[in-house]
Amino acid sequence: MNKIYSLLICFTFFSCAAKIHYVGQASPSTENVDVYINESSIKKNYELIGQGYLNVWAAHSNPDKLQKLAEETAMKKGADAVIITDYFTPNTGQSISTIYKTDSVGKGVVTTGNTTISPTSSSGFRIFFVKYVN
């Protein structure tokens, strides 16, 4: 029984780990990757070859771990550099969610409702993969 619990804990831990989903072109792998925090810092000619999307858990991970994951992904996909920027969208309004439940009680029908109002803001990281061109 302990083996089953251990397996479930391991599965849960690794399924929630930070992960970058890559969309873009792939080239032969590279050995060195430059890291930038904005496009204006790149002094070479380049083209964007891909973008990284973070899973829900990765969006709130340690930035150092995200940088390491981005570098590893860049090496595998053949990128020469990676651009990592962060963003914060301030509270721009409210999200309103209403749930109604209907139930029959005795010979009648009872409907109850619940409304939740929460602020809308978001933050995270954008990851772009770069290939230098001559």
Side-chain angles (χ1 to χ4, degrees), residues 8-45:
L8 287 174
I9 289 171
C10 288
F11 177 74
T12 302
F13 177 73
F14 288 113
S15 66
C16 297
K19 190 173 190 180
I20 296 175
H21 301 279
Y22 179 84
V23 176
Q25 303 169 355
S27 301
S29 63
T30 55
E31 303 247 344
N32 297 318
V33 174
D34 297 328
V35 178
Y36 298 97
I37 58 171
N38 60 43
E39 289 187 55
S40 62
S41 298
I42 303 174
K43 303 301 180 199
K44 301 177 182 181
N45 293 329

Coordinates of all heavy atoms in Angstrom, one line a residue, residues 8-45:
L8 N 1.9 7.7 -6.3 CA 0.9 8.8 -6.5 C 1.6 10.1 -6.1 O 1.4 11.1 -6.8 CB -0.3 8.6 -5.7 CG -1.3 7.5 -6.2 CD1 -2.4 7.3 -5.2 CD2 -1.8 7.9 -7.5
I9 N 2.3 10.1 -5.1 CA 3.0 11.4 -4.7 C 4.0 11.8 -5.7 O 4.1 13.0 -6.1 CB 3.7 11.2 -3.3 CG1 2.6 11.2 -2.2 CG2 4.6 12.4 -3.0 CD1 3.1 10.8 -0.8
C10 N 4.8 10.8 -6.2 CA 5.8 11.1 -7.3 C 5.1 11.6 -8.5 O 5.6 12.6 -9.1 CB 6.7 9.9 -7.6 SG 7.8 9.5 -6.3
F11 N 4.0 11.0 -8.9 CA 3.3 11.4 -10.1 C 2.8 12.8 -10.0 O 2.9 13.6 -10.9 CB 2.2 10.4 -10.4 CG 1.3 10.8 -11.6 CD1 1.8 10.6 -12.9 CD2 0.1 11.4 -11.4 CE1 1.1 11.0 -14.0 CE2 -0.7 11.7 -12.5 CZ -0.2 11.6 -13.8
T12 N 2.2 13.1 -8.8 CA 1.7 14.4 -8.6 C 2.8 15.5 -8.6 O 2.6 16.5 -9.2 CB 0.9 14.5 -7.2 OG1 -0.1 13.5 -7.3 CG2 0.3 15.9 -7.0
F13 N 3.9 15.2 -8.0 CA 5.0 16.1 -7.9 C 5.6 16.4 -9.3 O 5.8 17.6 -9.7 CB 6.1 15.6 -7.0 CG 7.3 16.4 -7.0 CD1 7.3 17.6 -6.3 CD2 8.5 16.1 -7.7 CE1 8.5 18.4 -6.3 CE2 9.6 16.9 -7.6 CZ 9.6 18.1 -6.9
F14 N 5.8 15.4 -10.1 CA 6.4 15.6 -11.4 C 5.4 16.1 -12.5 O 5.8 16.8 -13.4 CB 7.1 14.3 -11.9 CG 8.3 14.0 -11.2 CD1 8.4 12.8 -10.4 CD2 9.4 14.8 -11.3 CE1 9.5 12.5 -9.7 CE2 10.6 14.5 -10.6 CZ 10.6 13.4 -9.8
S15 N 4.1 15.9 -12.3 CA 3.2 16.4 -13.3 C 2.9 17.9 -13.0 O 2.5 18.6 -13.9 CB 1.8 15.7 -13.2 OG 1.2 15.9 -11.9
C16 N 3.3 18.4 -11.8 CA 3.1 19.8 -11.5 C 4.4 20.6 -11.7 O 4.4 21.8 -11.4 CB 2.6 20.0 -10.1 SG 0.9 19.3 -9.8
A17 N 5.4 20.0 -12.1 CA 6.7 20.7 -12.2 C 6.7 21.7 -13.4 O 5.9 21.6 -14.3 CB 7.8 19.7 -12.5
A18 N 7.5 22.7 -13.3 CA 7.6 23.7 -14.3 C 8.0 23.1 -15.6 O 8.8 22.3 -15.7 CB 8.6 24.8 -13.9
K19 N 7.3 23.6 -16.7 CA 7.6 23.0 -18.0 C 7.3 24.1 -19.0 O 6.4 24.9 -18.9 CB 6.6 21.9 -18.3 CG 6.9 21.1 -19.5 CD 6.1 19.8 -19.5 CE 6.5 18.9 -20.6 NZ 5.7 17.7 -20.7
I20 N 8.2 24.2 -20.0 CA 8.0 25.1 -21.1 C 7.6 24.3 -22.4 O 8.2 23.4 -22.8 CB 9.3 25.8 -21.4 CG1 9.7 26.7 -20.2 CG2 9.2 26.7 -22.7 CD1 11.1 27.4 -20.4
H21 N 6.5 24.8 -22.9 CA 6.0 24.2 -24.2 C 6.4 25.0 -25.3 O 6.1 26.2 -25.4 CB 4.4 24.1 -24.2 CG 3.9 23.3 -23.0 ND1 3.8 21.9 -23.0 CD2 3.5 23.7 -21.8 CE1 3.4 21.5 -21.9 NE2 3.1 22.5 -21.1
Y22 N 7.2 24.5 -26.2 CA 7.8 25.2 -27.3 C 7.0 25.1 -28.6 O 6.5 24.0 -29.0 CB 9.2 24.6 -27.6 CG 9.9 25.3 -28.7 CD1 10.7 26.4 -28.5 CD2 9.9 24.8 -30.0 CE1 11.3 27.1 -29.6 CE2 10.6 25.4 -31.1 CZ 11.3 26.5 -30.8 OH 12.0 27.1 -31.9
V23 N 6.8 26.3 -29.3 CA 6.2 26.3 -30.6 C 7.1 27.1 -31.5 O 7.4 28.2 -31.2 CB 4.8 27.0 -30.5 CG1 4.2 27.1 -31.8 CG2 3.9 26.3 -29.5
G24 N 7.5 26.5 -32.6 CA 8.3 27.1 -33.5 C 9.2 26.2 -34.3 O 9.0 25.0 -34.4
Q25 N 10.2 26.8 -35.0 CA 11.1 26.0 -35.8 C 12.2 25.3 -34.9 O 12.5 25.7 -33.8 CB 11.8 26.9 -36.8 CG 10.9 27.7 -37.7 CD 11.7 28.8 -38.4 OE1 12.8 29.0 -38.2 NE2 10.9 29.5 -39.3
A26 N 12.7 24.2 -35.5 CA 13.8 23.5 -34.8 C 15.0 23.4 -35.7 O 14.8 23.2 -36.9 CB 13.3 22.1 -34.3
S27 N 16.2 23.5 -35.2 CA 17.4 23.4 -35.9 C 18.3 22.4 -35.1 O 17.9 21.9 -34.0 CB 18.1 24.7 -35.9 OG 17.3 25.7 -36.6
P28 N 19.5 22.0 -35.7 CA 20.4 21.2 -34.9 C 20.7 21.8 -33.5 O 20.8 23.0 -33.4 CB 21.6 21.1 -35.8 CG 21.1 21.3 -37.1 CD 20.0 22.3 -37.0
S29 N 20.9 21.0 -32.5 CA 21.1 21.5 -31.2 C 22.3 22.4 -31.1 O 23.2 22.3 -31.9 CB 21.2 20.4 -30.2 OG 22.3 19.6 -30.4
T30 N 22.3 23.3 -30.1 CA 23.4 24.2 -29.9 C 24.0 24.0 -28.5 O 23.4 23.3 -27.7 CB 22.9 25.7 -29.9 OG1 21.8 25.9 -29.0 CG2 22.5 26.1 -31.3
E31 N 25.2 24.5 -28.3 CA 25.9 24.3 -27.0 C 25.8 25.5 -26.1 O 25.8 25.3 -24.9 CB 27.3 23.9 -27.3 CG 27.5 22.8 -28.2 CD 28.1 21.6 -27.5 OE1 28.7 21.8 -26.4 OE2 28.1 20.5 -28.0
N32 N 25.8 26.7 -26.7 CA 25.8 27.9 -25.8 C 24.6 28.7 -26.2 O 24.3 28.9 -27.4 CB 27.1 28.7 -26.1 CG 28.3 28.0 -25.7 OD1 28.3 27.4 -24.6 ND2 29.4 28.1 -26.5
V33 N 23.9 29.3 -25.2 CA 22.8 30.1 -25.4 C 22.9 31.4 -24.6 O 23.3 31.4 -23.4 CB 21.5 29.4 -24.9 CG1 20.3 30.3 -24.9 CG2 21.3 28.1 -25.6
D34 N 22.7 32.5 -25.3 CA 22.8 33.8 -24.7 C 21.4 34.1 -24.1 O 20.4 33.7 -24.7 CB 23.1 34.9 -25.7 CG 24.5 34.7 -26.3 OD1 25.4 34.2 -25.6 OD2 24.7 35.1 -27.5
V35 N 21.3 34.9 -23.0 CA 20.1 35.2 -22.4 C 19.9 36.7 -22.4 O 20.8 37.4 -21.9 CB 20.0 34.6 -21.0 CG1 18.7 35.0 -20.3 CG2 20.1 33.1 -21.0
Y36 N 18.8 37.2 -22.8 CA 18.5 38.6 -22.9 C 17.2 38.9 -22.1 O 16.3 38.0 -22.0 CB 18.4 39.1 -24.3 CG 19.7 39.0 -25.1 CD1 19.8 37.9 -25.9 CD2 20.7 39.9 -25.0 CE1 21.0 37.7 -26.7 CE2 21.8 39.8 -25.7 CZ 22.0 38.7 -26.5 OH 23.2 38.5 -27.3
I37 N 17.0 40.1 -21.6 CA 15.8 40.5 -21.0 C 14.9 41.5 -21.8 O 13.8 41.8 -21.5 CB 16.0 41.1 -19.6 CG1 16.9 42.3 -19.6 CG2 16.5 40.0 -18.7 CD1 17.0 43.0 -18.3
N38 N 15.5 41.9 -23.0 CA 14.7 42.7 -23.9 C 15.4 42.6 -25.3 O 16.6 42.4 -25.4 CB 14.5 44.2 -23.5 CG 15.8 44.9 -23.3 OD1 16.7 44.8 -24.1 ND2 15.9 45.7 -22.2
E39 N 14.6 42.9 -26.3 CA 15.1 42.7 -27.7 C 16.2 43.8 -28.1 O 17.1 43.5 -28.8 CB 14.0 42.8 -28.7 CG 13.1 41.6 -28.7 CD 12.1 41.6 -29.8 OE1 12.4 41.7 -30.9 OE2 10.9 41.5 -29.4
S40 N 16.1 44.9 -27.5 CA 17.1 46.0 -27.8 C 18.5 45.7 -27.4 O 19.5 46.3 -27.8 CB 16.6 47.3 -27.3 OG 16.6 47.3 -25.9
S41 N 18.7 44.7 -26.5 CA 20.0 44.3 -26.0 C 20.8 43.5 -27.0 O 22.0 43.4 -26.9 CB 19.9 43.6 -24.7 OG 19.3 44.4 -23.7
I42 N 20.1 42.9 -28.0 CA 20.7 42.0 -28.9 C 21.4 42.9 -30.0 O 20.7 43.7 -30.7 CB 19.7 41.1 -29.6 CG1 19.0 40.2 -28.5 CG2 20.4 40.1 -30.6 CD1 17.9 39.4 -29.0
K43 N 22.7 42.8 -30.1 CA 23.4 43.6 -31.1 C 23.7 42.9 -32.4 O 24.4 43.5 -33.3 CB 24.8 44.1 -30.4 CG 24.5 44.9 -29.1 CD 23.7 46.1 -29.3 CE 23.5 46.8 -28.0 NZ 22.4 47.7 -28.0
K44 N 23.3 41.7 -32.5 CA 23.5 40.9 -33.7 C 22.2 40.9 -34.5 O 21.1 41.1 -34.0 CB 24.0 39.5 -33.4 CG 25.2 39.4 -32.6 CD 25.5 38.0 -32.2 CE 26.8 37.8 -31.4 NZ 27.1 36.5 -31.0
N45 N 22.4 40.5 -35.8 CA 21.2 40.3 -36.6 C 20.5 39.0 -36.2 O 21.3 38.0 -36.0 CB 21.5 40.2 -38.1 CG 22.0 41.6 -38.6 OD1 21.5 42.6 -38.2 ND2 22.9 41.6 -39.6

